Amino acid sequence: MALINSRSSISQRGRETSPHALGQNSTQRVMSLVIMATIPGLMAQTLFFGWGTLINVVWCSLIAMGCEAAVVSLRQRSVSFYLSDCSALLTGVLLGLALPPFAPWWLSLVAVSFGMVIGKHLYGGLGQNPFNPAMLGYVVVLISFPQEMTTWLPPLGLEGHNNSLTDALFTIFPLGQSVDAISMATPLDVLRENKSLTINELWEANPVFDGMAGRGWMWVNLAYLASGVFLIWRKVFTWHGPVGMLAAIAIMATLFWSGNGSDSHGSPLFHLLSGATMLGAFFIITDPVSGATSNRGRLIFGAGVGVMVYVIRAWGGYPDGVAFATLLMNMAAPTIDYYTQPRTYGHHKANKGLPKKD
């Protein structure tokens, strides 16, 4: 009995004095915080681009949870346990935010199903997937259905676009009724295709351009920026990945900014506040599973994403490159981790304290 008590006291002292880092974060809490942080951006997108975004988020969330339940059931696991961690819900929300507001229901079904089944569960589920499931599903439909994926609704008030819930429902789910959806290219796409007009002429000729990054887009990105700062403050993730990505985009845009001529790729502020820049920086590349794990690695990972986002926007075949850049850096994450892994706690640096050779 004395031996047992002695071992118990040693074990208790070990738990009290060992260098363990304890925290209150759980998978469910982290995922729930991230989902709640998307609300300002969702509201901004709904305000400027209509009800389609909100309908997409609800529809994609239902598909994601349905896929999660189906696959988990086939694996003979607890459905309620896996649904309660909110990871499937987050994937659905992110895809709903990323897809065009009037994307047809079948396109969302393909994107979410591929992301959940192939991108997540094919590799073993949460914690095992090497690629970001939401971006994998997004890229599949972007390559397969480029016309549906590269046209967005004009901002509210342009081209006769009104914020009608009925029109959005009947466009996404036709139900036997046909509604003509007014669509137009995004500011990034318009700038990429411009070959003759100066920036000032382009701004005057195209009503979608307003402010620094296009009507509506600037406020959407600022909403995601505010939410991302909140998540960093709550220590859901560190600042390294987002700062690395945003700094890389700003540096690239500054280096290759040729003023306001017809060959201009846009100013640094234009690239930072347009497209999916802030959504990608704070809600996509911060995925703890498919990204780098060390702080130095996250900084490199984010910078790599930022450089490739700009390269794709300026010289690639797609107007925005967040999804492609994220997946490419997902492949590089293991190598980044290998070369940036921190020292084990309590160990000295290599060769420090060793006797010198004669």
Side-chain angles (χ1 to χ4, degrees):
M1 179 64 70
L3 180 61
I4 294 175
N5 290 338
S6 175
R7 287 178 177 174
S8 176
S9 62
I10 292 174
S11 176
Q12 182 66 31
R13 287 197 303 271
R15 285 196 296 269
E16 292 175 351
T17 60
S18 296
H20 300 308
L22 302 178
Q24 298 179 350
N25 282 345
S26 65
T27 301
Q28 182 185 36
R29 180 176 177 274
V30 169
M31 298 294 176
S32 299
L33 274 174
V34 175
I35 291 170
M36 287 188 293
T38 63
I39 293 176
L42 172 60
M43 293 174 62
Q45 286 185 234
T46 303
L47 176 64
F48 285 103
F49 298 102
W51 291 92
T53 302
L54 181 59
I55 296 172
N56 273 345
V57 167
V58 174
W59 172 234
C60 291
S61 299
L62 292 175
I63 299 171
M65 291 189 291
C67 290
E68 181 93 344
V71 174
V72 167
S73 297
L74 290 175
R75 297 174 61 189
Q76 299 182 347
R77 306 289 178 86
S78 171
V79 174
S80 60
F81 174 80
Y82 281 89
L83 287 180
S84 64
D85 65 14
C86 298
S87 61
L89 180 60
L90 178 59
T91 300
V93 168
L94 292 178
L95 269 169
L97 294 170
L99 294 173
F102 274 12
W105 65 269
W106 52 265
L107 187 142
S108 304
L109 179 63
V110 172
V112 178
S113 299
F114 192 93
M116 290 297 300
V117 177
I118 305 300
K120 179 180 179 181
H121 285 287
L122 182 66
Y123 294 97
L126 182 64
Q128 306 297 323
N129 49 289
F131 300 101
N132 186 295
M135 292 300 95
L136 196 61
Y138 183 90
V139 164
V140 165
V141 293
L142 179 61
I143 295 173
S144 304
F145 313 103
Q147 183 176 355
E148 290 82 357
M149 287 293 295
T150 54
T151 53
W152 277 62
L153 285 175
L156 185 64
L158 291 183
E159 304 292 337
H161 170 214
N162 55 22
N163 198 6
S164 171
L165 177 60
T166 304
D167 287 352
L169 282 170
F170 286 150
T171 304
I172 298 172
F173 306 98
L175 301 176
Q177 300 190 37
S178 177
V179 177
D180 293 330
I182 302 170
S183 61
M184 66 189 306
T186 64
L188 281 170
D189 199 21
V190 173
L191 183 63
R192 185 175 63 90
E193 296 295 333
N194 177 54
K195 303 299 181 185
S196 58
L197 300 178
T198 66
I199 295 297
N200 292 334
E201 292 171 342
L202 189 65
W203 251 246
E204 293 175 1
N206 199 310
V208 75
F209 288 103
D210 183 22
M212 292 178 290
R215 181 175 297 188
W217 293 100
M218 180 180 70
W219 297 108
V220 170
N221 276 276
L222 288 175
Y224 286 124
L225 171 61
S227 297
V229 172
F230 167 76
L231 291 175
I232 292 175
W233 175 68
R234 292 298 301 268
K235 298 183 179 179
V236 174
F237 49 77
T238 66
W239 56 267
H240 301 82
V243 168
M245 176 180 168
L246 298 178
I249 291 177
I251 292 171
M252 290 290 290
T254 302
L255 290 175
F256 294 98
W257 185 22
S258 56
N260 294 325
S262 59
D263 59 344
S264 176
H265 299 300
S267 68
L269 277 177
F270 175 79
H271 283 281
L272 288 173
L273 298 176
S274 62
T277 302
M278 296 300 172
L279 179 65
F282 293 101
F283 294 90
I284 302 299
I285 71 166
T286 51
D287 177 20
V289 178
S290 58
T293 55
S294 66
N295 287 339
R296 190 155 54 103
R298 293 187 185 107
L299 197 62
I300 297 171
F301 182 89
V305 172
V307 169
M308 283 188 285
V309 164
Y310 184 83
V311 168
I312 294 171
R313 286 179 177 180
W315 303 291
Y318 293 92
D320 204 349
V322 172
F324 287 108
T326 301
L327 294 179
L328 288 171
M329 289 305 296
N330 285 160
M331 291 190 290
T335 303
I336 295 173
D337 281 340
Y338 179 80
Y339 286 104
T340 60
Q341 52 186 319
R343 290 184 295 114
T344 306
Y345 187 88
H347 285 201
H348 295 287
K349 291 184 178 179
N351 299 327
K352 183 178 180 181
L354 295 179
K356 295 182 179 180
K357 295 182 180 180
D358 295 332

